[in-house]
Amino acid sequence: METIIDQDIVKMQALKRMKRNALALLGVAVLLFIIAIYFKIPMLQAFSEAAMVGGIADWFAVVALFRHPMGIPIWHTAIIPTKKNEIGENLGNFVSEEFLNREKLEIKLDEFNFATKASDWLSQEENANKFADVIALNIIPGVLKTIKDEDIKRFIQVQFKEKLEAINFGDWVALALEPLQKGNVKDQLLTNLLEVMSAELSDNKDLIRKKVKQSTPFLSFGLADKSISEGIFNGLQEFLDEAKNPESAVRIKIDEYISDFLNKVKNSEEMRIKINNLIVGFAGKKEVQDYINGIWDEIKLSITNDLEKGEESSIRKNISGLIQNFGNGLKEDSIMVDKINKFIKNDLLSVLLNNKKVIGDLISSTVKSWDGKEVSEKLELEIGKDLQYIRINGTLVGGFIGLIIYGVEWMYHYFVM
């Protein structure tokens, strides 16, 4: 793709070429003048004299627009750099008064039918891909580089905390535990839990002995270890076995405790507050905070890795598909097309027209802020090539006018004198 710098180089080369052509033509006029003087050719002398005058005069006029001719600060030269502020003021007024005109703009908008043309353009795969490339390859990476990870992580943490505090976990727990108070669900769950605990106790008998041995006095020489560990193991096992029996006192006591807890959760505001504080406090632990911070790191890494796939990027493909679907959907929705066109014609145009003075002032202040020499060089680069034709035409036209004047003078002397 050709860059702005490449385009400027091409324009500069074209400008220099046209300047050389105009100067060469002026050089030819000078050469013809010398020949006419030497060989005493009146007609050629008249032509070359007028051509030189025309060429030099137009060279002066063209150069005077952009700089002082030959560096001499002649009055009313270097017009663009010296009159930059006035040019900016006039340009701003011209745009705001002539271009930002409601009647003219409404006619153009009706003819253009923006929504239809936009839907046609977006529905084409090539254009959707171009749009997706801009978003996926420029906008998204630019946003990821601009935003600070610490700000995003802080935002996620704050949002997570606020959402968590807004949830009444006490009500959720009460609602979730309510079925336990009905039927034999609670008894079945409790029995299953006791079975698991009993099995775990049997599987960890050696661990209990080891822990007891580490806790008994060294002078017992291990004589009490076995008795103590067996006592603890057997006591716990008997407790669990008894608790498995729905009719046992232990089981009844456990049932009463669970029922009391469920009633408190369901009916006690204090208990619900404790549950909320417990969960919110857990969410504030460092391990949880580190996990939350890692969410953004994972998201960012996933986006970056996907975008590096180029045309195979899932994000790019999805964006392109969404753009095409939007374009196709818009083409088939005449109501939406009409709404978009009306919005642009009425609302957006009204905002534009209500701020036309601001737009004019913006253009004016922008031009005023430019460096005079830089503005002159930029304008010469854009229009200087075409202005060289003025020099060429001035040389040629001047020469022919010189011939006409010579012819009139000759006829006067020949017929009148």
Side-chain angles (χ1 to χ4, degrees), residues 17-293:
R17 185 168 58 250
M18 287 303 301
K19 283 184 175 181
R20 286 195 298 268
N21 293 340
L23 183 60
L25 186 60
L26 181 60
V28 170
V30 174
L31 181 60
L32 292 176
F33 176 74
I34 295 172
I35 292 172
I37 293 295
Y38 184 81
F39 290 102
K40 295 184 170 60
I41 307 174
M43 184 179 296
L44 184 59
Q45 182 179 344
F47 174 84
S48 58
E49 283 178 346
M52 287 190 297
V53 172
I56 293 172
D58 285 338
W59 165 82
F60 183 90
V62 171
V63 172
L65 286 173
F66 306 105
R67 67 188 69 84
H68 297 300
M70 295 183 293
I72 303 172
I74 303 171
W75 189 45
H76 279 309
T77 59
I79 295 173
I80 290 175
T82 56
K83 298 290 184 179
K84 171 178 63 70
N85 292 347
E86 290 86 339
I87 293 172
E89 193 77 34
N90 293 331
L91 180 62
N93 292 334
F94 177 74
V95 171
S96 62
E97 295 301 327
E98 297 299 326
F99 282 89
L100 300 180
N101 180 281
R102 178 175 289 276
E103 289 74 18
K104 294 178 181 178
L105 288 175
E106 284 182 347
I107 293 172
K108 291 297 181 183
L109 287 174
D110 288 336
E111 293 175 353
F112 187 72
N113 194 344
F114 176 83
T116 300
K117 282 186 169 54
S119 64
D120 291 337
W121 191 88
L122 293 173
S123 61
Q124 297 177 25
E125 184 178 359
E126 180 183 359
N127 296 330
N129 288 336
K130 289 179 181 178
F131 209 147
D133 284 339
V134 172
I135 297 173
L137 303 180
N138 296 317
I139 296 178
I140 296 178
V143 171
L144 292 178
K145 289 179 181 178
T146 302
I147 59 178
K148 295 181 179 179
D149 292 345
E150 295 76 12
D151 294 339
I152 295 296
K153 292 176 180 179
R154 190 182 305 112
F155 174 78
I156 295 175
Q157 288 179 355
V158 170
Q159 292 298 312
F160 178 76
K161 183 179 179 183
E162 289 179 354
K163 297 300 181 185
L164 206 61
E165 291 176 345
I167 298 174
N168 193 331
F169 288 100
D171 288 342
W172 282 23
V173 173
L175 187 63
L177 296 179
E178 187 173 357
L180 296 179
Q181 293 180 305
K182 300 176 182 178
N184 61 349
V185 177
K186 178 184 64 175
D187 293 335
Q188 187 61 47
L189 287 175
L190 183 56
T191 300
N192 293 340
L193 177 61
L194 293 170
E195 291 286 354
V196 172
M197 292 175 64
S198 180
E200 287 295 318
L201 182 63
S202 298
D203 293 340
N204 292 279
K205 189 173 183 179
D206 292 336
L207 179 61
I208 293 173
R209 288 172 179 168
K210 183 178 179 181
K211 293 294 183 182
V212 170
K213 185 176 181 180
Q214 292 174 350
S215 303
T216 53
F218 177 73
L219 295 176
S220 66
F221 301 103
L223 298 176
D225 298 348
K226 186 174 181 181
S227 298
I228 295 173
S229 62
E230 286 294 332
I232 292 174
F233 177 80
N234 292 334
L236 290 172
Q237 192 65 61
E238 288 175 4
F239 175 82
L240 292 174
D241 290 339
E242 185 177 356
K244 293 177 189 177
N245 182 6
E247 305 299 329
S248 66
V250 174
R251 181 62 172 266
I252 293 172
K253 201 71 177 176
I254 294 174
D255 287 344
E256 290 176 355
Y257 175 81
I258 293 174
S259 296
D260 181 60
F261 174 76
L262 294 177
N263 285 327
K264 284 183 177 179
V265 171
K266 186 176 181 180
N267 301 313
S268 172
E269 184 66 25
E270 183 181 356
M271 178 61 74
R272 296 188 187 190
I273 293 174
K274 287 181 178 179
I275 293 174
N276 277 339
N277 292 339
L278 179 65
I279 296 175
V280 173
F282 172 76
K285 290 186 175 295
K286 183 180 182 302
E287 294 81 0
V288 178
Q289 293 298 310
D290 290 342
Y291 173 77
I292 295 172
N293 288 338

Side-chain angles (χ1 to χ4, degrees), residues 246-398:
E247 305 299 329
S248 66
V250 174
R251 181 62 172 266
I252 293 172
K253 201 71 177 176
I254 294 174
D255 287 344
E256 290 176 355
Y257 175 81
I258 293 174
S259 296
D260 181 60
F261 174 76
L262 294 177
N263 285 327
K264 284 183 177 179
V265 171
K266 186 176 181 180
N267 301 313
S268 172
E269 184 66 25
E270 183 181 356
M271 178 61 74
R272 296 188 187 190
I273 293 174
K274 287 181 178 179
I275 293 174
N276 277 339
N277 292 339
L278 179 65
I279 296 175
V280 173
F282 172 76
K285 290 186 175 295
K286 183 180 182 302
E287 294 81 0
V288 178
Q289 293 298 310
D290 290 342
Y291 173 77
I292 295 172
N293 288 338
I295 293 175
W296 169 244
D297 292 331
E298 290 293 330
I299 292 173
K300 186 176 179 180
L301 181 62
S302 298
I303 293 173
T304 303
N305 290 339
D306 183 78
L307 293 178
E308 288 177 351
K309 296 177 182 178
E311 293 185 357
E312 299 301 318
S313 166
S314 298
I315 295 175
R316 177 187 175 279
K317 290 180 179 178
N318 289 332
I319 293 174
S320 178
L322 287 172
I323 292 171
Q324 278 187 271
N325 291 336
F326 175 77
N328 289 324
L330 188 59
K331 281 199 295 187
E332 299 172 0
D333 192 341
S334 58
I335 296 177
M336 182 58 68
V337 167
D338 188 53
K339 285 183 178 179
I340 292 175
N341 285 331
K342 283 183 177 179
F343 168 76
I344 294 173
K345 184 177 177 180
N346 298 326
D347 300 340
L348 203 59
L349 187 57
S350 294
V351 172
L352 187 66
L353 294 175
N354 289 337
N355 292 278
K356 68 177 185 178
K357 186 178 186 305
V358 176
I359 296 172
D361 292 342
L362 177 62
I363 294 172
S364 175
S365 61
T366 302
V367 174
K368 289 178 181 179
S369 68
W370 291 345
D371 177 72
K373 183 180 178 182
E374 184 180 354
V375 173
S376 179
E377 291 174 351
K378 287 285 186 184
L379 285 175
E380 185 176 17
L381 191 64
E382 295 297 328
I383 64 175
K385 174 189 171 184
D386 296 323
L387 291 179
Q388 301 311 308
Y389 285 105
I390 295 177
R391 295 175 57 188
I392 293 172
N393 293 335
T395 304
L396 295 175
V397 172

